[in-house]
Amino acid sequence: MRPLYLFLLFIPSLANAVASPLSPRNANYRIDVRLNTDTKRLDGKQTLTWRNTSPDQIRELRFHMYLNAFKDANSTFMRESGGQLRGDALDKSKPENFGWTKLTALTDQRTGESLIAKVQFIQPDDEEAGTFNTDDRTVIRVPLSQPVAPGETIVLDMAFQAKLPKIFARTGFSKDFFLVGQWFPKIGVYEPAGMRGRTVGGWNCHQFHAHSEFYADYGTYDVAITTPTAFKIGATGQQIGETALKNGTKTTRWHADDVIDFAWTASPHYIITDNQWQGKVGMPVKIRLMMQPEHNDQAQRHLDAAKAALAYFDQHLGTYPYSTLTIVDPPLRASGAGGMEYPTFITAGTSWKLPAGLRFPEVVTVHEFGHQYFMLLLASNEFEEAWLDEGFNQYYEGRIMDETYGPRSAQIDWFGFKMGDMEASRDGYVHLDNPAIGPAYGNTWQLPSGYYGALTYLKTATWLRTLEGLLGRPVMDEVMQTYFIRWRFKHPNAQSFIDVVNEVVPRRLGQKYGPDMNWFFDQVLFGDRVCDYKLAKLSNRDNSPATLRVDRLGDMQLPVDVLVHFENGQEVMLFWDGKSRTRTFTMPQKGRVSWAQIDPKQKLYMDVNVVNNSLSTSPSSAPSAKYAVKFLFWIENTIQWLSWLV
């Protein structure tokens, strides 16, 4: 077996033929790119092999030209962002800071026809809205003389040039550091009728918006990257070769199967640490950590966090199916590239001499690794349903961080101040100036201005934790595992997840919450309701059972538990459907009540004011939350770090 195995390693195409594909592999790229580190330019050639998996005749193709978002101040991205993203900004007074991309050749191998003259820039989102930014050049359409029939494959030979922007939004350069993401002409996703709720087939290929990320089909990537010899390269997939050239450059070759994108980095300054993680099943994962010299003392922290995330997802969701994971630490001057996810390749973020009790490197590493599941393995549409990626990932970040580092100290344990990760997500949501600002559901560029992160990350993580509270962790895990297994290497949407919930919950819990959970999603996902239950009154009466009153101050309706503690030490748990505006309980037994508390197990994580959840007839040790003071400290010290988590 060993000789055959070694042979397959050096012939990826044959290895692919032997191994069963994990995904449809209908968008496959072979790319040869050269980086000029002086001019910050890319010169590339690519062959795209695209298969029409729909029942439709495809008469045009659509491509993303993402780097044109940085062409000038007039692109949709720049108009929406103002040249700022996640606390970083582009100096628009310097022309060299801008970036762009253009096709220089495009040929259909079926006919030998050059299609370059047919390329048209379009603005599909503006067209839908009825307003046009004709300066936006991030989407092109290519009419075809010969349609692509159902099941047919088209092969396109393409050449392109690009200028990388100064890094402020994920991709580009900073001196001799390069993070190259969304850099090649990338075909959109053709969705047939019935897919993700479509009524008619069509291309899903959105303009590049300020708060949107990406959406793509699965494929195989074979990429050759030519750089100066001194530069150290990291990339999606595994390196399968390196060739030294005579002109002081080298070409490294990379291969990745069953991925939706390809990104890479180049810098002469990385300190590289190679490590490995092995789960209970599956292949070992080779971890490559690419650190800045000034941060290398934190290398082990990044590795430990990555291994914790690998182990947690392996146990609670599903096996990581890839053999590599590359973690990139950008320099502080290129922090705009930090906290980003690509297939098998993530960027982290830290600062010099960061104390161990400030676990921001761990948070970023865990969060960005989680996108290998909620982005890569479950390839939802991040333009239209960012919550399905970011919010689910934020929820699992909270679970992993709290279990690994402590539920009350996962993010911060410093000079007596402690903050858990799930706690931080909840705080960010409930302390919004208006928690009812809107639903998380909807196109990212149409969400309420300034609330993208709060709605897609924090609110979604908080309602997922609330769902877990209602269902219990075992049932929640079954929901998530069923969803993952059913939709991995596909394109799920909101209904995909809701259908799984409505299948699993009645089977496991019967009619406890009704025939389905649609009532829950109508409020937390599609609605803007706010949860706030208050223990309004507690009365002891001589020779009569005590009474208490619970009020529903918010418009969200959720089932509520009320724990009542008597002076003799006995306790009673009361239950209420939470629907009416108020409910008065008479105790089922005589005796003086010492204290009572709403939601003692904190199932209703969305409750925006837990301070009003308890009452006592005397000083009591009843649990109470002290979120407000913590929140002020949290905002002052961590907002920049959390802003990296995109």
Side-chain angles (χ1 to χ4, degrees), residues 426 429-430 435 466 528-533 552-558 560 604-609:
R426 178 190 175 276
Y429 161 64
V430 304
T466 301
D528 57 4
R529 298 185 183 184
V530 172
C531 177
D532 186 10
Y533 287 93
R552 178 171 60 81
L553 304 184
D555 51 0
M556 186 176 291
Q557 300 176 10
L558 297 175
V560 182
L604 308 186
Y605 219 59
M606 297 192 77
D607 192 330
V608 296
N609 183 9

Side-chain angles (χ1 to χ4, degrees), residues 2 37 43 57 59 72 74 86 125 163 165 177 204 270 278 356 367 378 383 388 408 411 434 458 503 526 576 592 628:
R2 176 174 290 182
T37 56
D43 286 287
Q57 294 276 342
R59 302 184 183 278
D72 53 38
N74 298 318
R86 303 186 296 178
D125 301 329
K163 160 67 171 60
F177 170 83
N204 196 298
Y270 285 125
Q278 175 65 65
H367 183 96
L378 295 165
F383 290 95
L388 200 55
R408 292 290 179 263
Q411 287 198 356
N434 181 9
L458 307 181
E503 172 189 323
F526 302 114
W576 177 35
R592 293 185 64 83

Side-chain angles (χ1 to χ4, degrees), residues 59 200 214 421 463 512 589:
R59 302 184 183 278
V200 295
F214 313 106
D421 193 281
W463 70 248
K512 181 177 181 179
Q589 62 194 69

Side-chain angles (χ1 to χ4, degrees), residues 22-24 189 195-196 215-218 258 260 373 375-381 388 483-493 496:
L22 299 175
S23 72
V189 177
M195 180 177 174
R196 299 182 58 255
Y215 181 45
D217 276 328
Y218 288 95
D258 305 302
I260 57 174
Y373 285 78
M375 176 279 291
L376 174 53
L377 296 177
L378 295 165
S380 55
N381 188 329
L388 200 55
Y483 171 64
F484 174 74
I485 291 170
R486 185 169 298 171
W487 286 98
R488 59 188 169 186
F489 297 109
K490 298 176 184 176
H491 299 303
N493 68 345
S496 308

Side-chain angles (χ1 to χ4, degrees), residues 540-595:
N540 285 309
R541 297 182 294 176
D542 294 338
N543 301 319
S544 298
T547 62
L548 62 85
R549 192 185 86 222
V550 182
D551 293 345
R552 178 171 60 81
L553 304 184
D555 51 0
M556 186 176 291
Q557 300 176 10
L558 297 175
V560 182
D561 299 338
V562 184
L563 178 64
V564 181
H565 182 89
F566 290 85
E567 289 182 349
N568 61 9
Q570 293 183 335
E571 292 185 342
V572 173
M573 186 73 80
L574 306 174
F575 304 94
W576 177 35
D577 64 14
K579 293 181 179 180
S580 61
R581 275 295 178 183
T582 188
R583 171 68 189 273
T584 299
F585 292 91
T586 300
M587 295 304 100
Q589 62 194 69
K590 292 183 179 180
R592 293 185 64 83
V593 172
S594 177
W595 54 262

